[in-house]
Amino acid sequence: QVQLVESGGGLVQAGDSLRLSCAASGRTFSRYDKAWFRRAPGKEREFVAAVTWSGGNTYYRDSVKGRFTISVDNAKNMVYLQMNSLKPEDTAVYYCAAGGSSRWTIDSSGKYDYWGQGTQVTVSS
């Protein structure tokens, strides 16, 4: 079993940077794919970024490519999302997730069995 806790959110201005962190408990954490999702006001939850359990492949939604970077430190049971050049449309609650189901694609919420409670990111114009 895995528990996830996000941190690092806050209020910033457009163009600023933030690094989100996700601390995980559970011995098997390293064998799960990891992802970040977000839910903006009035919108559905959407995929942001993911990394395969081996760390060899990363995936991003088009709107964050070149600005966001997902990384993991399995030795510390940590997942990070470095967010640069933030835009107002990035405003959302950000959730980290972990899962291993092969029935879903890497960008599907259904793939992930474990979720954090979220951390708020607000970007002002």
Side-chain angles (χ1 to χ4, degrees):
Q1 296 183 352
V2 174
Q3 290 79 49
L4 305 173
V5 180
E6 304 95 336
S7 63
L11 280 64
V12 299
Q13 292 189 330
D16 286 350
S17 297
L18 282 174
R19 188 179 75 161
L20 305 184
S21 299
C22 176
S25 63
R27 183 172 58 87
T28 62
F29 176 69
S30 64
R31 295 292 172 153
Y32 287 92
D33 296 337
K34 294 93 174 174
W36 290 91
F37 288 76
R38 67 188 182 188
R39 188 189 297 275
K43 295 184 178 181
E44 299 292 324
R45 182 168 57 186
E46 65 183 15
F47 170 79
V48 178
V51 58
T52 51
W53 70 268
S54 66
N57 294 288
T58 58
Y59 305 85
Y60 302 91
R61 70 178 298 107
D62 287 343
S63 63
V64 308
K65 286 181 178 178
R67 299 190 297 121
F68 290 10
T69 303
I70 187 171
S71 61
V72 298
D73 186 339
N74 283 319
K76 297 181 179 179
N77 279 0
M78 296 290 292
V79 187
Y80 305 99
L81 185 68
Q82 178 67 46
M83 305 185 295
N84 298 327
S85 301
L86 283 162
K87 303 176 180 180
E89 53 262 43
D90 296 318
T91 295
V93 177
Y94 283 71
Y95 302 88
C96 65
S101 175
S102 61
R103 297 176 297 168
W104 305 84
T105 57
I106 198 74
D107 61 344
S108 297
S109 296
K111 177 179 176 62
Y112 301 96
D113 300 309
Y114 305 101
W115 295 82
Q117 292 298 305
T119 185
Q120 176 71 49
V121 173
T122 302
V123 185
S124 62
S125 60

